[in-house]
Amino acid sequence: MADTEHSERFREFSDKLERAITPSLKNVASKLSAKGLIAHSTKMEATSSTDARGTATKIVDELQEALDEHDDPESFVNEVCTALRNVREKRITDVVDKLQLGKLK
């Protein structure tokens, strides 16, 4: 189970992350799915979604659950941030940078 600090830090940024990924939902879902960070079914839902914000929320919730169960939470957060940076959208990168600025050791 993830330590509370990493989990709380991710949760603190969840709303900002949801808003940032909504406009690039399909690309975000593809990047996260390719790295095995979200389920394939979630990626498929993102590609056909008519509720982008709702699906973005689902993706962030799925990441939070995976973080809470991960043996190495810092590594998991780093993987997520790397995948999100690869979307190459400034809005997403800005949120990821702020999330990682407070890196916990």
Side-chain angles (χ1 to χ4, degrees), residues 21-22 24-30 33 38-62:
I21 68 174
T22 297
S24 304
L25 187 61
K26 292 176 186 177
N27 197 3
V28 166
S30 291
S33 178
I38 61 170
H40 182 70
S41 59
T42 304
K43 175 191 170 193
M44 297 311 294
E45 182 178 329
T47 61
S48 63
S49 178
T50 57
D51 178 16
R53 179 66 192 254
T55 305
T57 299
K58 182 176 180 174
I59 288 172
V60 172
D61 288 347
E62 190 171 319

Side-chain angles (χ1 to χ4, degrees), residues 2-94:
D3 62 82
T4 306
E5 291 176 285
H6 282 85
S7 183
E8 287 302 315
R9 180 85 178 151
F10 194 86
R11 193 176 322 283
E12 180 182 319
F13 281 86
S14 64
D15 188 54
K16 290 176 181 144
L17 191 54
E18 288 167 13
R19 282 185 270 133
I21 68 174
T22 297
S24 304
L25 187 61
K26 292 176 186 177
N27 197 3
V28 166
S30 291
K31 299 290 185 191
L32 292 172
S33 178
K35 294 291 185 182
L37 299 168
I38 61 170
H40 182 70
S41 59
T42 304
K43 175 191 170 193
M44 297 311 294
E45 182 178 329
T47 61
S48 63
S49 178
T50 57
D51 178 16
R53 179 66 192 254
T55 305
T57 299
K58 182 176 180 174
I59 288 172
V60 172
D61 288 347
E62 190 171 319
L63 292 170
Q64 181 74 52
E65 288 175 23
L67 170 62
D68 289 344
E69 295 174 8
H70 205 277
D71 292 336
D72 185 357
E74 185 172 359
S75 173
F76 182 79
V77 170
N78 288 337
E79 286 180 61
V80 169
C81 290
T82 298
L84 291 173
R85 275 193 188 92
N86 286 335
V87 174
R88 300 190 190 285
E89 289 290 334
K90 183 179 179 351
R91 210 173 156 181
I92 296 170
T93 302
D94 288 349

